[in-house]
Structures are given as structure tokens and as C-alpha cells.
Amino acid sequence: MPISESDVRHVAMLARLALSDEQVTQLTEELGAILGHIDELQHLDLADVQPTAHPLDMTNVMRPDEVRPGLTREDALANAPQTEDGAFVVPPIVGGGDDA
Amino acid sequence: MIDLNTLTAREVRDRVVAGDVSAREVAEAAFGRIEAVDASVHAFLELTPEIAYEAAGRIDAAVAAGEPVGPLAGVPVALKDNMNLVGTHTTAGSKILGPYRSVYDCTAARRLLDAGGMLVGKCNLDEFAFGSSTENSAYGPTHNPWDLSRVPGGSSGGSAAAVSAGMAAIALGSDTGGSIRQPGALTGTVALKPTYGRVSRYGVIAFGSSLDQIGPFGKSVEDCALALEAIAGKDPLDATSAAEPVRSYAAGLGEGVEGLRVGIVSDLLDVEGCAPEVRAAFYAAAETFASLGAEVGEVRLPTARHGLAAYYIIGPAEASSNLARFDGIRYGHRAADATDVLDLYTRSRAEGFGPETIRRVMLGTYALSAGYYDAYYGQAQKARTRIIDDYRAAFEHFDVLITPTAPSVAFKLGEKADDPYAMYLSDVYTIPVNLAGVCAVSVPCALDEASGLPIGLQITGDYFDEATILRAAAAIEAERALDLTPPLVTELLDAQAAEAGMAAQRDAALRAEG
Amino acid sequence: MAADRLTDVMERYEAVIGLEIHTEITASRTKMFCGCPVAFGGEPNTRVCPVCLGMPGALPVPNEAAIEWTVLAGLATECDIALWSQFHRKQYFYPDMPKDYQISQYDLPFCSDGRVSVEVDGPGAAERLDRGHALESGLLTGDAEAYTTVIGITRIHLEEDTGKMVHVGGAEGRIAGADYSLVDFNRAGTPLMELVTEPDIRTPEEARRFAQKLRQIWLALGVSDCSMEEGSLRVDANVSIRPRGATGLGTKTEVKNMNSFKSLHDALAYEIVRQAEVLDAGGVIQQETRHWDVGAKRTSALRSKEEAHDYRYFPEPDMVPFQFTEEWIAALAGRLPELPDARKARFVAELGLPAQDAVVLTSDTALATYFEDAVAAAGAERAKAVANWVTGEFAAHLNAAGIGADASPVTPGALAEIVELVDGGTLSARQGREVFSAVIETGMAPSAIVEQRGMRQVSDSAAIEAVVDRVLAANPDEVARYRDGKTGLMGFFVGQVMKEMRGQANPGVVNDVLRARLG
């Protein structure tokens, strides 16, 4: 199944990747080739098969409602590119980001 | 004086516990080997002498005081650089995590160190474990100790090379589609992917959440068994880790394969692309099993050949989601002067991710996107169910299944760079194992006559039946008794011996004089 | 006036409203997928760990208690509980999202297909212009002044809350015009129930009552502190309109940022009118998200993104599915407390209270419990009298003091005592109120106060007759005018008698004696 350049641009936006025009062109070709190989799956008759929910036959794994020690704020912020007053700094939302 | 780096983990441990050698000496020897060869091999991204020597000190003090020490006391170990450990950087082989310092421990890594392992360093990998050659690392490739112009395999190429070249006795890697087993085969090391859920995934940077497992590289089957004992077991921090009790995997290794039902996966072998020398070595190994008393037959896994396609949807889909968190906000690379949040995201990620990572994130996002989910992800998960059924059926009639680990010996650096899908084919035998979630080990079964390069046999077992596949691997190992010292190391040892010989002569001459 | 405008619009259009209500499970000690504590406020990023910060390699492990609470919430709203369910990943990028996906549920929620009855009375009932017709057809029960509607619950699922953002530099801390934002992940990972209703709500008042009713149920259950101010209860609405008689659905808008029940009502009223005006002018409703501006009293569209979200849901591979048994669900059901509707029904059936009183008493769990404790002390035969006191004097006191029933210095036992004293004739109603205030001021027991102040009401007819005779003798002109027809002077005579008896005369007896003497 071929993929178009506009598909690639759309997917790049979903994945939040700034691609150059050259990258878009190259990826269109590469992804198209890969998808071409993967397409063989379409020819399998799997209509009556359930998708795998989990490789093991395990269900109901949960934990008790008990407090565990977390990170100190120092550790939480240790790798942050930019912080202010203990919070992570981000540039303005307007013009960018999703919201839900 | 024997070069300590030639010993297996168990041999080192026994000597340390007996007081024949100190843990500190072992650590010094390991760092000495690293200094001698890693400039050429480039297995390591970071060395951790502080951590190693601190552990050595504690072990030596305990031994001196007659206190108990762990089952891997004094063993030099290494970790793939996608495993978090406080006190180290964890880069995942990516620029996006270049400056990242771990603030918590990967459970499996922690258990390995608690068992007495002395961490010598963090190993190179394909970026985010995406690859089969370690050429996708943002920090330069690792070179195969058997031939420096060739790849060590991937994505755990650094871990494999570290053990192969005697820089660590045990190294942990991660395996999503073959990333432990395939480099094991290409570097002549024993390499184990445990059953999904056998070992905790907490703390290893996720690639394919339903496929990933952490596992050991060792110079011997026994070493892998010991490492598995140390790291396996339920972890309350990993909801997919199994409650299955941990056996002693090392006991019973020598029991042989009399009556073992061994199944050759014939239809996978029909998939084209298997090099003749690999095919020959594989069938020789099958014959060896027969000669040792195993019942060797043929089995089919009809859907396994479609595993590659299913894997290259499920893996990238899960990975694309797991890598969304790299957004320049809480850690990692942030693009300079971002004007707004969208700019921050898109440039940080485009700048920080390498080409294969971008390919997989794009592929995975596409496979999950509206309108494509059923055809891609949904269909792949159905194919997966069939593959699981195939293995279940096979294990009703066979105890272990065998295939080659990789379709060829180590290939040249750059050889597969232009065709991503050609690279993906390296994993054709290993991928179905991850889709099913069963366990498999790669054990060296031959050295190619023409090139001298190692060839690996993959032995696959039923869920949580690591004991059986390790026993089968041990049988091959014992029968073959291969010298798995790569030429690089042989040269080094010869040079050391020569040096020692010359030094002895100098001493003798001096004594004669004086 | 806004209400008139709404009525005018609703004569021509029918509103179709669905609500999405997010409730933080504050009853849980820890977050949904990690062991960090659940709490409100605190210094930023001090209740975090690798999991809720989305650090590389961290994994989620689901909180069993939070799942039980969600199932209880489903049982309390008559939902079916799924025997097989899963979490899914909902993928989108936003700075308050530590993983840039939210672990939520998609097509296998824990609870589905429930219902909540909502009673609408008072002026708000009039918003439902078609209620006569709906009552006739059985869609509603009750009558035109006070009707009951049943709102379907499509689903209740469980997910994790996001972090919190503060926007710096813009007007009033809003996103628009901000220079940058600060993110705090203390709240990230808090267990969050999302309840979605069927689009069965037809008026802003019904929406408000539904939200209030749901809050009552949640409070009775104990699953959350349900604070709209602190954000542990959040209500969003989807609203569309269609011409009366039409069956298809109009284009809906989503309305957010309604931070009180009143805002919920007013925002919906505004939006319905706004949509009508657009359609009346021949325009088309844009499917968009609109924020309620409580100051400006209007909704405004958010700067919408280029396309609808593609959340790329897929089953969460870091956790295994859930398989519940009927036995497990039944055992949980045994933990359900008496819910407001059942309690209300019991007050009517067993205590003989009028429905109106029962509604008020069960509107607040603490109040209902207080009432029951007071009845236990005063005796079931005094239930109505206790109800009058609780819904009257006591409620006013709680309101004035800004406290809950369980924080009042007037214990249920003390209130019961006062009720007995008044009901039994020892005190007049006015004296009863005096004692009530005195209990609050002094903390003394009612009987002690009565003793100390010598407040026993005089009901002895002989004593009262004596005083009545003196008063009538002292006021002959007024007696004459009364007998001439100025019956209003009765109040004067009663006042005079009370004055002489320092307010302690039983007013009923005083009236009887005066009437007898005056003829």
C-alpha cells in the first residue's frame, strides 16, 4: 500500500516531528517500501481470529493502595532543561500543542 | 598468572569467594582489558570505575570477614545503555538523552548488582534498540571483536562485544525481536531471551512493551543460567512480570538431552536468505542432538514466516507511543529558542532522534492512526494469535524447537545501510519468539571455516521452560567445546604472554648478572 | 432578561444535553498507577516518582482500590459492570501529560448502561416547556410543578489525571498572551473517573440537578470529596439544539470551564440561546469547544486546532486485562452504603415524612445522618418535628456558620432534647429557638439552660387566667373595641399577657383563655 507525501506530513504532525522536505520525500519512499513488504498480512484470512490481548494468560494484576516513597524534587527536576520555582518551564501554548 | 578476563563468571566468583583472588584485582583486570581493546571495539559508552571499585571493596571486606556474599560476587558485569542505574548516564544510544542521568534503578540491573556483580560500564546499542547491527547508535557503531570491520549485531551489540572480548563476564541486553540472541550469534557468546514476564522490565527504556525482555550474555551457558537466577522473578513495579517461581537454572545443566524431543522448524528454514554456511552448521547441530540421544524431528510454525510483518507493525506501534514522552520538557534534549510548544516538540524530537528512530516512530504512528488501525495493528495482533497457537501446538509434540539464530554470519559495517528492510530480515528467526513470548537461547555451534566467524544455534522453549533450553544449549556447548576467543583477544593474550616471557627473560638476565 | 430569552428560544427549539463528569477518587490514598500520595496543593513536583513523571523506563501498575471505587460508583448508578475490561492508551501531546499519552479506557470501560433519577422542582421546573406532554407520555413522572426525569449513564471509566499548568504573563493567568507556562505534576496520575451521560438532559436546570444529584451519590459513597473549587469534580457539557418536533440531532458544541453548579446552569442557558440566535440568523453551528467566562457571562470559542484529535487508541500493553466474576461484584455491592434515593424513600415510608422534607434532608449525607441520629434520640414519633427543626433552624445555623452538620456544636442529642421540650409543651417555639442559640453560645445542655434561665413555659390555665383577667381589667377601652369588631386587637392582648409573664406563657393556652374571656 503506497503512502503519499501528504500522509507522511500528516503522520509527522501526529508524531510531533519537524521534517524537512527532503526527509518527507525520503520517508515517503522508505515507508512505502516497508509497508509494501508488510502488506502481505492483508492477504491472510484472519477474520475469525481474536487479536492477542497479552502474550501471557495473566489477568487482574493490581497493587494495594499503599504509599511508596517517590522522588525528591531535586531528582525530579535533575534532568529538566528549564525550571522555575520548582516547576518545569515550557514555551507558550498558544499556537501549539493539543488540548483535550 | 592467568588473565582473569578469560575466566567465566562462575570461575571468577569461585576464586573470589575462596580468597584466591580479590574482587579488586578482578575489577582492575577488566578495566585493563577495556583499556587494551575498547578503543577498537567501542562496546562502551560510559565506564563506571567508581561503582565497580566500591562494589569490589565491599565484596573483599565481606570475604575477609567470612560474611556471605552473592552468587555473582566479584563478577565484572555490564549493562546495555537503555537500563537506568543511579550514578550513570542512560542514553539509549540517542542524542535526545545525551545528558540524561538516571534517577532510579532498573530492577533487573539492581538485582544483578545486588547479587555481587561489579558494574564496569554501560554498553552501546542501536538507538532505542531499533536495529540489528548497532550502527544506529548516535555515538558511533560497535565493532565485532571477531573482525573489526564487521558489525557485532544489534541492538545489544555493545553488551555482546563486551563479553566476547572479555571486558565483562556477564552483560545484560534487551530483546524485542532478537536484540540479544542475534548479537550473541554474531559474537560467539551465549545469549538468552527469557520468557516474556520472566524478568522485570521496570527501568529499561521501552521499545515494544508486549515484546521486550531483558536477558544475559555470557561466555558459557552456565553463566547465563546464573545471571537469569539473579535477575528473574516477580517485580511489583512491573504489572506484566510473572509470578512464576524462579528455579535454579544452573542445576541440571549437565543432565544431557537423552530423549529430548527436538523440533527443526522446517518452514522457517524455507524462507530464503539463509547463508549456506549457516544452514550447514545448523543441520550439523541437529545431528549432534540426535547423536546425543535426542529425538529430532520436523515441525511447522505456519504463521511464523509472517512474524516479520506483524512485528514491524506491533513493535513500531508500541514504540511510537513509548517514545512520545521525549518531548523536551522534563528531561532530554530541548531545541533552542522554541517559540511555542509545538515548535518545542517538533524540533526537539527531530533534532534528537536518528533516522531509524524517526522511521519507526512514523511507521508506528501511521499503523495506529485513524482508518489504519484495523488493517495494520489489528491485523498484526490477529496474526500474532495464530503464531502463539502455532507454538502451543508445536510444544505439544516437542520439548524444544531449533533454528539458526541469524541468517548469516556477521556482515560488514555499512553493508545493509541502504535498505532498512534488508536489515529487518536479520531477525526472521528470532522475531516469532518475541511475538509468542516464549523463551529462546542462542548458543555458538560452529565457527565458519572460511571466515572463522561464529554461528549461533537458536533453541526455543515453552513458556517458563528456560531450564530445558539451557540444558540443551549446554549439551551443544560441551560437545562442540569451541574456542570462542576472538582473534583480537588471542593477539592481545599472545602479546601479553610475549611481554611476560620477555619480562621473565629480563629478570633472569638481571639475576644472572647480579 | 436572560430567563425570558431562554424561554422564548425553548419554545421553538429543544435542547439536547449530555454531560461528561470527571471525579477524582480522593478516597484513594495513592495515585492510579504509582504509590505517590493523592492530595491537593503542596509545593510543585513534590509528590512525584518516575512513573507519574513519565521517565524513560517507568511502568504503570493499577491501583486496586481505585478500580473497586469505580465499580462501586457504577453499582451506585445502576450500571452493568464489565466482566472483561482493559485500559487503553489515549495519545496526544500536551505539557501537562507526562507520557504524552493518557492511560484511560476505550471500548471496554468498567461500567456502562446505568441511570440516575433527577428531581426537578421550583422555578427551574418551568424550563421544561414540554413537561406536560412528557408527563403524559410517561417520559417524565410527577407533575408540572415537580417532575422526575431519568438520565441514562452511558459509561463510567477510569483514567489518570494530568498535571497542572500555570500560565505566566497573559491576562488573568490565561493561556492567551502568556509568555510561558509552568508545569507541576503533583496531580498527574490521580485516579479519575469519567462518567458520560446519554444526551437525555433537556434543560439547564436538569443539568444542574443531575450534577448535584451525582455529587450527593458520590458523597454518600465516599469516593470523592467532590470539590468543584479544588477540581476534584469537573463538569463539561455537550449541547445542541433542534427545532421542536425534529428528531435528528443538531451540531453540538462542547462547553468547558464551568466551575460551579450555577455556572453549569448559566453557561448552558447562554449556549442554547447563542445557538438559537445563530440558527435564526440562517447560520450554521460550528462543532467546537467553548469556554464559559463567568465574569463576562458568555461562552467563547477556544482557538481550535487544525483538525479533530486522532487519539490512536490501542490496548495498554504495560498492563494485563481485567476479568471480574459475578461473585466479586456481588461482594463489592455488599459494601454499598444506603444511597440518597433509598434513604429518601425510607424517610417517607418509615418515618412518615413528606417527600419535600426527605429531599432536603438527604441532599447532604452529613445532614441526613444528623437527622437520623436526632430521631433516634427523640423517638420516631417525633420525626416530623425533628425534620422541621433540622431543615429550619439547624440548616440556617449551618449556613450562617459555614459548617457541615457534623461540625455543629449542637449535637443530635441536644437537638432532640430541644424538640422534646417544645413538642412536649415545656417550652414555646420561641423559647426553643432561644435555647438553641444558647447551646451554640455556651455549649451547655438544653435542660441545663432551661433550668438556669428558669425558662419553663407556663401552661397552667389558672395562672394564665389570673394574668388575663388583670390585663383585660387594665385595658377596658381595647376590650370594648375588640367586642365591637376589632378582632385584630387579640394580638395586643396576647402581647400584654406575654409581657407580664416574661414570655413564658404557653401561647396556645393564652389564646384559648383570652377568647373564652372576651367572648
Side-chain angles (χ1 to χ4, degrees):
Chain A
M1 228 188 298
I3 185 172
S4 69
E5 277 206 10
S6 102
D7 285 339
V8 169
R9 286 185 198 281
H10 173 70
V11 172
M13 176 46 112
L14 288 177
R16 294 296 186 268
L17 291 168
L19 300 179
S20 68
D21 291 339
E22 295 78 46
Q23 278 177 300
V24 171
T25 306
Q26 188 174 0
L27 276 166
T28 304
E29 199 188 303
E30 286 171 352
L31 294 177
I34 295 170
L35 289 168
H37 287 296
I38 286 170
D39 249 3
E40 48 147 301
L41 274 190
Q42 303 308 316
H43 304 302
L44 294 178
D45 178 15
L46 298 170
D48 295 330
V49 183
Q50 283 301 306
T52 301
H54 192 75
L56 300 179
D57 262 334
M58 272 178 7
T59 57
N60 298 354
V61 175
M62 294 176 276
R63 66 178 173 83
D65 188 18
E66 281 158 17
V67 175
R68 267 192 90 239
L71 291 174
T72 61
R73 177 150 85 184
E74 198 191 321
D75 278 347
L77 302 177
N79 289 295
Q82 201 184 343
T83 64
E84 183 180 291
D85 295 338
F88 297 90
V89 175
V90 296
I93 310 294
V94 169
D98 281 336
D99 59 50
Chain B
M1 175 62 177
I2 186 173
D3 183 327
L4 294 172
N5 302 305
T6 61
L7 299 175
T8 65
R10 190 187 56 72
E11 287 166 344
V12 166
R13 194 259 173 194
D14 286 349
R15 284 167 201 233
V16 165
V17 168
D20 294 343
V21 74
S22 71
R24 182 172 187 87
E25 282 172 278
V26 174
E28 281 168 357
F31 284 113
R33 176 65 68 89
I34 289 170
E35 199 179 335
V37 305
D38 204 41
S40 313
V41 174
H42 190 46
F44 287 96
L45 294 180
E46 181 178 20
L47 295 178
T48 55
E50 265 179 43
I51 297 178
Y53 285 117
E54 194 271 334
R58 271 187 292 108
I59 291 163
D60 286 337
V63 168
E67 280 159 17
V69 288
L72 294 175
V75 175
V77 301
L79 298 172
K80 185 175 185 179
D81 203 27
N82 60 357
M83 295 178 200
N84 278 283
L85 192 80
V86 175
T88 71
H89 291 87
T90 303
T91 67
S94 177
K95 277 193 293 203
I96 212 165
L97 284 179
Y100 179 78
R101 297 189 64 89
S102 291
V103 294
Y104 75 101
D105 289 344
C106 164
T107 298
R110 181 78 259 145
R111 288 179 179 176
L112 189 71
L113 300 194
D114 285 349
M118 308 186 298
L119 184 70
V120 297
K122 306 292 287 301
C123 294
N124 200 12
L125 65 159
D126 282 299
E127 183 180 16
F128 286 109
F130 301 145
S132 308
S133 66
T134 311
E135 292 173 288
N136 291 327
S137 169
Y139 300 99
T142 296
H143 301 257
N144 195 321
W146 288 82
D147 177 340
L148 297 172
S149 71
R150 292 175 188 264
V151 303
S155 58
S156 313
S159 299
V163 171
S164 171
M167 297 187 268
I170 286 172
L172 293 186
S174 67
D175 188 315
T176 309
S179 289
I180 291 175
R181 292 161 285 155
Q182 183 255 21
L186 269 49
T187 57
T189 52
V190 183
L192 172 67
K193 184 204 86 73
T195 307
Y196 183 84
R198 174 75 287 181
V199 178
S200 168
R201 292 182 298 115
Y202 185 76
V204 64
I205 298 180
F207 163 176
S209 310
S210 72
L211 302 159
D212 294 342
Q213 265 295 275
I214 292 176
F217 291 92
K219 293 182 228 186
S220 67
V221 175
E222 182 180 35
D223 280 0
C224 279
L226 291 172
L228 182 65
E229 280 175 26
I231 63 177
K234 178 132 183 94
D235 182 7
L237 296 175
D238 176 357
T240 59
S241 76
E244 188 80 17
V246 179
R247 334 251 197 82
S248 164
Y249 296 107
L253 283 179
E255 280 170 16
V257 295
E258 181 78 40
L260 190 73
R261 300 169 301 164
V262 177
I264 294 171
V265 184
S266 55
D267 51 1
L268 260 188
L269 277 152
D270 286 343
V271 173
E272 64 170 73
C274 187
E277 65 272 14
V278 171
R279 196 181 283 272
F282 170 75
Y283 282 109
E287 274 194 38
T288 301
F289 274 129
S291 74
L292 291 172
E295 288 167 30
V296 182
E298 286 199 350
V299 69
R300 306 183 82 80
L301 299 174
T303 322
R305 70 195 304 129
H306 300 289
L308 204 71
Y311 172 80
Y312 276 101
I313 292 170
I314 295 172
E318 293 178 357
S320 70
S321 179
N322 288 328
L323 265 61
R325 66 191 63 199
F326 299 102
D327 59 12
I329 293 179
R330 286 149 290 116
Y331 45 79
H333 171 72
R334 166 179 288 209
D337 305 318
T339 50
D340 58 34
V341 148
L342 181 63
D343 189 33
L344 177 77
Y345 288 149
T346 56
R347 275 199 299 124
S348 300
R349 291 161 63 76
E351 288 170 11
F353 288 154
E356 182 62 30
T357 297
I358 289 178
R359 248 190 303 274
R360 299 218 189 179
V361 167
M362 291 286 291
L363 188 58
T365 305
Y366 183 71
L368 291 174
S369 65
Y372 295 106
Y373 178 96
D374 287 333
Y376 287 113
Y377 191 80
Q379 188 76 343
Q381 289 286 32
K382 289 182 176 187
R384 184 175 191 174
T385 301
R386 274 274 171 77
I387 292 171
I388 292 173
D389 291 343
D390 287 351
Y391 275 95
R392 288 229 164 96
F395 284 120
E396 307 227 328
H397 305 290
F398 292 95
D399 300 310
V400 302
L401 311 177
I402 56 172
T403 66
T405 304
S408 73
V409 295
F411 44 92
K412 294 272 190 194
L413 287 153
E415 188 180 313
K416 305 203 183 185
D418 290 332
D419 184 356
Y421 208 74
M423 186 70 83
Y424 298 167
L425 286 168
S426 313
D427 295 327
V428 63
Y429 303 124
T430 49
I431 275 172
V433 175
N434 299 80
L435 287 167
V438 292
C439 60
V441 62
S442 175
V443 61
C445 66
L447 294 174
D448 174 39
E449 263 192 58
S451 62
L453 294 169
I455 294 171
L457 170 74
Q458 175 177 248
I459 305 171
T460 303
D462 205 351
Y463 297 97
F464 301 106
D465 198 16
E466 284 84 356
T468 303
I469 60 172
L470 289 168
R471 173 161 59 90
I476 293 287
E477 176 185 62
E479 200 278 347
R480 288 283 186 273
L482 297 169
D483 178 3
L484 292 165
T485 313
L488 174 77
V489 174
T490 308
E491 280 163 30
L492 177 69
L493 291 172
D494 288 345
Q496 281 174 353
E499 172 102 17
M502 276 163 42
Q505 281 180 350
R506 278 200 299 273
D507 286 346
L510 282 171
R511 276 198 302 276
E513 275 177 30
Chain C
M1 268 202 49
D4 293 340
R5 194 77 194 87
L6 180 70
T7 308
D8 173 58
V9 159
M10 300 272 257
E11 267 161 15
R12 294 174 294 113
Y13 293 101
E14 180 178 43
V16 176
I17 299 168
L19 296 181
E20 268 177 39
I21 300 184
H22 286 88
T23 308
E24 284 186 345
I25 303 181
T26 57
S28 178
R29 281 193 281 268
T30 62
K31 294 186 177 183
M32 187 62 228
F33 298 113
C34 66
C36 290
V38 164
F40 179 75
E43 283 298 301
N45 296 304
T46 53
R47 284 195 304 275
V48 293
C49 76
V51 178
C52 57
L53 270 182
M55 307 218 76
L59 295 175
V61 183
N63 176 338
E64 181 167 24
I67 291 172
E68 289 180 345
W69 280 117
T70 304
V71 171
L72 281 169
L75 292 171
T77 51
E78 297 183 49
C79 289
D80 297 331
I81 307 302
L83 295 179
W84 177 264
S85 54
Q86 272 185 309
F87 284 105
H88 273 69
R89 292 191 186 178
K90 178 182 184 183
Q91 312 199 68
Y92 64 99
F93 285 80
Y94 204 67
D96 64 7
M97 300 273 290
K99 300 182 291 297
D100 293 303
Y101 60 85
Q102 179 193 37
I103 300 177
S104 178
Q105 294 193 292
Y106 180 50
D107 57 355
L108 292 169
F110 288 122
C111 315
S112 59
D113 205 29
R115 63 206 53 81
V116 172
S117 310
V118 176
E119 295 73 36
V120 187
D121 61 359
E127 284 182 14
R128 185 81 186 246
L129 294 176
D130 68 332
R131 63 197 180 286
H133 183 67
L135 285 162
E136 259 174 61
S137 68
L139 188 63
L140 304 176
T141 54
D143 58 51
E145 267 67 61
Y147 68 86
T148 298
T149 176
V150 176
I151 306 301
I153 307 294
T154 315
R155 55 189 277 148
I156 305 176
H157 74 247
L158 187 52
E159 57 188 26
E160 51 178 348
D161 210 345
T162 63
K164 271 214 192 123
M165 293 182 64
V166 166
H167 308 292
V168 179
E172 293 162 29
R174 302 199 57 192
I175 291 180
D179 296 322
Y180 60 96
S181 305
L182 298 174
V183 195
D184 168 21
F185 291 100
N186 283 348
R187 188 182 73 177
T190 300
L192 195 64
M193 292 191 302
E194 179 176 327
L195 178 149
V196 181
T197 74
E198 293 289 322
D200 292 341
I201 298 170
R202 292 284 169 275
T203 71
E205 186 60 21
E206 286 176 10
R208 178 194 355 222
R209 298 293 180 114
F210 175 88
Q212 287 171 328
K213 181 70 176 283
L214 192 73
R215 182 170 181 275
Q216 266 183 50
I217 296 172
W218 285 173
L219 288 174
L221 202 52
V223 63
S224 171
D225 59 17
C226 296
S227 164
M228 288 183 84
E229 301 74 41
E230 292 185 350
S232 55
L233 184 73
R234 316 201 281 257
V235 184
D236 298 331
N238 288 303
V239 53
S240 66
I241 63 176
R242 61 188 171 196
R244 288 254 166 225
T247 47
L249 290 172
T251 305
K252 65 181 181 204
T253 60
E254 190 184 9
V255 182
K256 294 165 98 82
N257 200 43
M258 302 170 289
N259 296 328
S260 67
F261 294 126
K262 179 170 182 348
S263 288
L264 174 60
H265 174 276
D266 295 349
L268 286 171
Y270 174 89
E271 183 62 14
I272 289 165
V273 168
R274 184 194 75 84
Q275 288 193 11
E277 284 172 353
V278 168
L279 293 181
D280 287 345
V284 152
I285 306 295
Q286 298 299 318
Q287 181 163 350
E288 61 193 358
T289 302
R290 300 181 67 89
H291 260 204
W292 174 243
D293 184 334
V294 67
K297 295 200 197 312
R298 51 189 283 273
T299 65
S300 51
L302 293 184
R303 183 97 128 314
S304 61
K305 275 312 290 178
E306 61 305 318
E307 67 227 57
H309 293 296
D310 180 358
Y311 291 122
R312 305 188 294 289
Y313 284 101
F314 72 104
E316 172 55 78
D318 285 332
M319 288 181 283
V320 297
F322 299 92
Q323 192 162 37
F324 298 142
T325 61
E326 300 285 3
E327 292 74 35
W328 180 81
I329 295 169
L332 263 188
R335 278 171 45 184
L336 282 172
E338 185 183 38
L339 297 174
D341 280 353
R343 202 169 202 177
K344 196 173 51 170
R346 182 166 60 80
F347 283 1
V348 171
E350 289 177 15
L351 298 178
L353 291 187
Q356 175 58 16
D357 285 0
V359 166
V360 175
L361 288 168
T362 56
S363 69
D364 179 287
T365 308
L367 193 70
T369 304
Y370 182 95
F371 167 74
E372 290 210 71
D373 290 346
V375 168
E381 68 281 7
R382 292 212 161 101
K384 180 70 175 98
V386 173
N388 290 343
W389 272 90
V390 173
T391 60
E393 202 70 22
F394 184 71
H397 143 66
L398 293 183
N399 220 7
I403 55 175
D406 44 2
S408 170
V410 184
T411 63
L415 187 79
E417 232 187 291
I418 296 173
V419 170
E420 279 175 282
L421 288 168
V422 173
D423 202 49
T426 309
L427 297 179
S428 67
R430 193 183 59 75
Q431 286 174 316
R433 288 193 290 278
E434 201 185 307
V435 170
F436 182 85
S437 304
V439 168
I440 295 172
E441 271 168 42
T442 68
M444 285 169 59
S447 47
I449 293 167
V450 168
E451 276 312 307
Q452 189 193 68
R453 300 189 186 188
M455 286 174 77
R456 293 185 171 275
Q457 173 176 252
V458 179
S459 300
D460 173 35
S461 355
I464 290 174
E465 280 164 17
V467 175
V468 165
D469 287 340
R470 272 205 297 283
V471 164
L472 292 182
N475 296 282
D477 296 332
E478 286 72 14
V479 170
R481 276 157 53 200
Y482 179 88
R483 285 182 175 141
D484 259 351
K486 276 231 165 344
T487 53
L489 281 168
M490 176 59 74
F492 166 75
F493 293 127
V494 170
Q496 290 298 303
V497 170
M498 283 299 190
K499 206 164 99 184
E500 250 211 58
M501 298 187 75
R502 290 193 313 282
Q504 285 178 340
N506 182 324
V509 175
V510 170
N511 267 283
D512 291 343
V513 170
L514 277 169
R515 249 182 268 277
R517 287 287 192 271
L518 289 167

